[in-house]
Amino acid sequence: MAFRLIATLVLLVASFTSAFVAPFRSLISPLASSCRASFGGPLCMAEAVADATTAVDIRNIAVIAHVDHGKTTLVDALIRQSNVFRDEAQASEAGERVMDSEDQERERGITILAKNLAVMRDGVKINIMDTPGHADFGGEVERVLNMCDGVLLVVDSVEGPKPQTRFVLDKALKRGMKVLVVVNKIDRPAARPDYVVDKVFDLMMELGASDDQIDFTTVFASGLQGIAGMEPDALAQDMTPLFEAVKECIDPPKIESLNSEDLQCLVSNIDYDNFKGKMGIARITKGTVKNGQAVALVRPGAAKKTGRLSSLFVFDNLGKKEVESASAGEIIMFSGLDNVEIGDTLVTNEGGGQNAAEPLPPIAVEQPTVRMTIGVNKSPLAGREGKFLTSRMIRDRLFKELDRNVALKVEETDSADKYAVSGRGQLHLTVLIETMRREGFELEVGPPVVIYKKNEETGQEEEPFEMVEVRVPEEYSGAVIDLFNTRNGELQDMGIDDGGEGMSVIKYLIPTRGMLGLRSEMLTATRGTAIIDAVFDSYREKIKGEIQSRDKGSLLAFEDGVITSFGLENAQDRGKLFVKAGEETYKNMIVGIHQRPGDLAVNVCKTKQLTNMRSATKGITVGITAPIDMSLDACVEYIAADEILEVTPTKFRMAKNPEMLGKKGKK
């Protein structure tokens, strides 16, 4: 009886003295189990107290924002002020935007993949998830929110909430999360913090936030300078006010149970290790997990996958550290189960899993809206550069991408060497193609097309629409409106930006079909000054008829061969060229933009006839205009429905689709 009383007191002290919860966990579990074994009954009172605890020494937060509002720079400042780096030399070696570790992220200046890190602050562990700001990578945000208890909503001090701000904030509010608003870039001369805070409040009201969520705390910060404060004109010399606001405003994880049999954690991400293989990243919702424990991966309506944990990690600064056990509220990384997938629930399998918890609902993400075909490169110049050329290699790589890219879909097609790849937008798919290109793949890529769906209630075919916001100097607003109108856009709002920079703000609702190829045209029409933000709005009734894309045709190579300077001299009078002398070409390859509608074949391989007669024009030389340097994104935007893009490790070539030409010939 005395032993049972001691165990009960230990549990009571552990629950009421929050600072001692973690150290006592290892002591409570064996005591409680030995009491049950000795006295044959559960400790009802002690268990009720344990169920009411919270992990006060942990905060799980996601940093969400519109693209280019300074999320990653802000996270950089938090890292540097948390003693993550050994000294100044190590910090300078890490460089800027530490979290953007992928090559494409640094080149494009955007975050593509969500990433985890953890910092310690005054005895509290803060698990931070840096998320992408671009709408095409919204799937990364949606799955990361499953691991969080609250969010840091980063908003630019001049621009205020933008379309993607609305998208990510809506997801967080629907999950009942508390929002800590960070007005970033407060050091900008045109900063207008009061206006931005009012706009965030209005946005929350529109999205139906609860009273607790609307009563948000605001921190003003400059991620670049590493300073923050509770008032815009009273900033501290470091990020301490932001750290304190996170600890006070973001709720700690609630712990329903620490019993190992109640283990329940949803896998939200996948990582790879050269030595440990496939690794799952998950947040423990209930229970406790130990290294070497018998576990199972379950999901509704699927067979159970069993195994044993070979290693268990928690996040520590920018890396991870191995631990023997972890409890509810912590974010873990584990190995030992090579068939782990995003959306699986990790539960115990001790005793055959008789008392295992039920699987959690799998991660739900928005459906893709754009589709492209990716297949084997069959051009006359194929196979000269790439290492991976066959359909089997391409198929394996595409289906492997599904392991971690939850918003992507890959489907077989009627052709054995082509696959239909669907994503959230054009950028979502071009990032994948660029990654495969750098890995050594040669690909043949079809033009992007939108995904239609049938409304079950009305029976009508529907297509995706996007809400587009364009900020442009006033003198170019007419050109922007003309472009939208030719692509069946509906004007939603128009006005002058309050920032005082003489910028017009134009908002349109436009079919995704109309957005394909529009960005490059708009940047050309506005001389590169337009700032374009687009986010998926909804599926609506399909607009009848075709939507005009480009208004000019292509210049096509007349024959196979090597491009000559003499051939380019004659061809450049017909339009703007993509190629230069010395490059190889083949028949029907696109070598430039025709200056008129319709395609035109030009002989860029033509050589000058050599004779022993002196030419009357020998002394006259014609300069060759420099070719347009086409990136992958520009090529994908350019190609029409009857054209394809050839992608190799070093080159992009566009051409007429041979299959489409064959059909035209039969007609």
Side-chain angles (χ1 to χ4, degrees):
M1 187 68 182
F3 184 70
R4 185 172 183 175
L5 182 61
I6 291 170
T8 306
L9 288 171
V10 168
L11 284 167
L12 286 168
V13 170
S15 61
F16 285 114
T17 312
S18 57
F20 294 97
V21 168
F24 270 90
R25 281 175 188 159
S26 57
L27 177 63
I28 293 168
S29 183
L31 281 175
S33 58
S34 63
C35 288
R36 293 190 185 95
S38 303
F39 301 103
L43 298 177
C44 299
M45 180 179 177
E47 287 183 350
V49 173
D51 286 348
T53 59
T54 56
V56 295
D57 55 345
I58 295 176
R59 298 291 186 278
N60 297 319
I61 59 171
V63 185
I64 60 175
H66 185 79
V67 64
D68 202 31
H69 277 200
K71 295 180 308 301
T72 305
T73 307
L74 187 76
V75 172
D76 256 18
L78 297 176
I79 293 171
R80 294 176 189 280
Q81 296 184 24
S82 302
N83 300 320
V84 170
F85 299 113
R86 181 179 62 252
D87 50 30
E88 198 63 37
Q90 190 183 29
S92 60
E93 184 182 347
E96 296 180 357
R97 295 192 295 121
V98 179
M99 297 302 291
D100 285 348
S101 54
E102 301 286 327
D103 290 341
Q104 282 198 70
E105 291 180 322
R106 291 185 176 272
E107 290 168 16
R108 294 174 182 264
I110 60 172
T111 303
I112 295 172
L113 299 173
K115 302 175 191 68
N116 295 62
L117 76 146
V119 297
M120 292 295 297
R121 189 76 177 189
D122 300 330
V124 176
K125 181 178 184 180
I126 305 175
N127 285 307
I128 303 174
M129 280 133 276
D130 186 21
T131 65
H134 201 286
D136 284 23
F137 307 109
E140 294 283 310
V141 181
E142 289 172 277
R143 63 177 175 78
V144 158
L145 289 178
N146 287 279
M147 296 192 285
C148 303
D149 298 297
V151 295
L152 260 65
L153 179 67
V154 181
V155 188
D156 188 286
S157 65
V158 176
E159 295 182 0
K162 304 290 277 182
Q164 179 65 0
T165 312
R166 183 188 189 93
F167 174 81
V168 293
L169 180 60
D170 186 37
K171 298 294 180 185
L173 293 177
K174 284 180 179 176
R175 285 176 165 82
M177 295 180 176
K178 281 193 175 179
V179 179
L180 174 59
V181 177
V182 181
V183 180
N184 196 26
K185 304 184 183 181
I186 196 66
D187 53 334
R188 290 182 64 176
R192 40 181 181 168
D194 293 338
Y195 166 84
V196 170
V197 173
D198 289 343
K199 285 294 183 182
V200 172
F201 181 85
D202 294 343
L203 179 59
M204 286 196 174
M205 291 290 288
E206 285 181 38
L207 296 175
S210 66
D211 292 344
D212 285 343
Q213 291 170 328
I214 287 178
D215 188 21
F216 58 85
T217 301
T218 305
V219 179
F220 303 90
S222 169
L224 195 62
Q225 296 187 22
I227 55 177
M230 304 309 292
E231 296 293 337
D233 53 357
L235 302 180
Q237 296 303 307
D238 55 17
M239 303 295 281
T240 299
L242 180 54
F243 280 114
E244 294 300 321
V246 168
K247 290 190 291 182
E248 293 175 11
C249 302
I250 303 299
D251 294 331
K254 292 180 181 178
I255 301 176
E256 296 181 23
S257 171
L258 293 173
N259 191 345
S260 61
E261 288 187 347
D262 296 332
L263 174 64
Q264 211 179 31
C265 44
L266 184 67
V267 178
S268 299
N269 202 356
I270 297 291
D271 200 2
Y272 295 92
D273 187 278
N274 292 332
F275 302 101
K276 299 186 182 296
K278 203 171 180 182
M279 304 182 73
I281 300 174
R283 179 224 171 121
I284 306 176
T285 307
K286 288 198 302 186
T288 304
V289 64
K290 296 179 181 178
N291 194 5
Q293 180 178 337
V295 293
L297 295 170
V298 294
R299 67 166 65 204
K304 182 168 72 171
K305 299 174 282 189
T306 59
R308 191 175 292 273
L309 297 185
S310 60
S311 57
L312 182 66
F313 300 90
V314 295
F315 288 93
D316 181 42
N317 294 335
L318 294 173
K320 56 184 185 290
K321 67 176 180 181
E322 192 162 5
V323 293
E324 286 303 312
S325 64
S327 302
E330 185 60 273
I331 296 175
I332 61 169
M333 181 185 288
F334 61 88
S335 65
L337 299 160
D338 290 336
N339 50 1
V340 60
E341 297 176 4
I342 292 176
D344 287 342
T345 302
L346 185 73
V347 299
T348 184
N349 197 41
E350 292 177 339
Q354 296 284 342
N355 301 317
E358 292 296 315
L360 293 166
I363 297 171
V365 297
E366 297 281 341
Q367 293 300 306
T369 57
V370 176
R371 180 187 292 121
M372 296 173 70
T373 58
I374 297 178
V376 176
N377 183 14
K378 293 180 285 189
S379 86
L381 303 179
R384 300 188 179 188
E385 302 174 14
K387 295 185 292 182
F388 308 110
L389 310 171
T390 65
S391 61
R392 181 184 60 81
M393 292 175 175
I394 294 171
R395 183 186 187 280
D396 291 347
R397 177 63 181 84
L398 289 175
F399 279 95
K400 183 182 177 183
E401 184 69 19
L402 297 180
D403 286 343
R404 59 188 305 174
N405 201 334
V406 292
L408 198 73
K409 283 190 177 180
V410 179
E411 300 167 307
E412 308 273 359
T413 64
D414 296 337
S415 174
D417 51 17
K418 284 184 183 176
Y419 303 94
V421 183
S422 307
R424 294 282 279 274
Q426 187 174 297
L427 181 62
H428 187 197
L429 298 176
T430 54
V431 165
L432 170 62
I433 295 168
E434 178 67 18
T435 302
M436 294 177 67
R437 181 183 78 86
R438 297 183 184 198
E439 291 172 0
F441 283 86
E442 281 196 19
L443 307 168
E444 181 184 283
V445 179
V449 295
V450 300
I451 300 173
Y452 302 106
K453 72 176 186 179
K454 194 171 185 179
N455 189 316
E456 296 180 358
E457 296 180 0
T458 62
Q460 293 179 331
E461 193 173 32
E462 295 183 337
E463 66 176 324
F465 277 69
E466 297 185 16
M467 183 63 70
V468 186
E469 180 180 298
V470 180
R471 294 178 76 246
V472 66
E474 288 184 62
E475 61 264 31
Y476 298 120
S477 59
V480 171
I481 292 171
D482 286 343
L483 284 171
F484 276 125
N485 289 340
T486 57
R487 291 173 177 253
N488 290 29
E490 295 179 16
L491 181 64
Q492 303 294 304
D493 191 14
M494 180 178 175
I496 303 298
D497 188 11
D498 297 334
E501 298 177 3
M503 301 285 279
S504 294
V505 180
I506 304 167
K507 294 182 181 179
Y508 262 84
L509 184 67
I510 183 172
T512 302
R513 272 191 298 162
M515 278 300 293
L516 298 177
L518 179 63
R519 290 176 184 272
S520 57
E521 284 192 31
M522 192 170 293
L523 289 172
T524 302
T526 61
R527 302 195 177 186
T529 57
I531 302 171
I532 309 162
D533 296 312
V535 66
F536 171 74
D537 182 75
S538 60
Y539 267 88
R540 300 179 180 226
E541 185 179 348
K542 181 184 174 183
I543 294 176
K544 295 178 181 179
E546 293 297 320
I547 294 179
Q548 177 188 340
S549 53
R550 66 173 194 245
D551 56 353
K552 295 179 181 178
S554 298
L555 295 177
L556 307 179
F558 180 72
E559 61 183 354
D560 299 357
V562 178
I563 298 169
T564 64
S565 300
F566 185 70
L568 292 178
E569 283 182 19
N570 297 319
Q572 68 184 4
D573 295 334
R574 303 292 187 175
K576 299 177 181 177
L577 300 177
F578 299 146
V579 294
K580 56 186 177 183
E583 294 181 353
E584 288 189 82
T585 186
Y586 52 87
K587 188 175 182 179
N588 290 323
M589 175 175 147
I590 298 173
V591 295
I593 306 173
H594 191 202
Q595 60 191 3
R596 294 186 177 89
D599 298 332
L600 177 69
V602 292
N603 191 356
V604 290
C605 301
K606 185 177 181 180
T607 56
K608 191 172 184 179
Q609 297 297 323
L610 300 177
T611 67
N612 60 355
M613 300 294 292
R614 179 179 175 86
S615 171
T617 59
K618 180 175 176 57
I620 301 174
T621 57
V622 178
I624 298 176
T625 307
I628 301 172
D629 188 15
M630 296 288 280
S631 64
L632 173 62
D633 297 271
C635 289
V636 170
E637 281 204 353
Y638 179 82
I639 54 177
D642 62 339
E643 296 167 350
I644 55 173
L645 170 64
E646 176 191 353
V647 179
T648 72
T650 62
K651 290 183 173 61
F652 304 115
R653 302 185 187 98
M654 295 175 286
K656 287 293 175 181
N657 190 337
E659 298 174 6
M660 306 280 282
L661 287 172
K663 290 177 183 177
K664 287 183 179 179
K666 289 176 184 177
K667 290 179 182 178

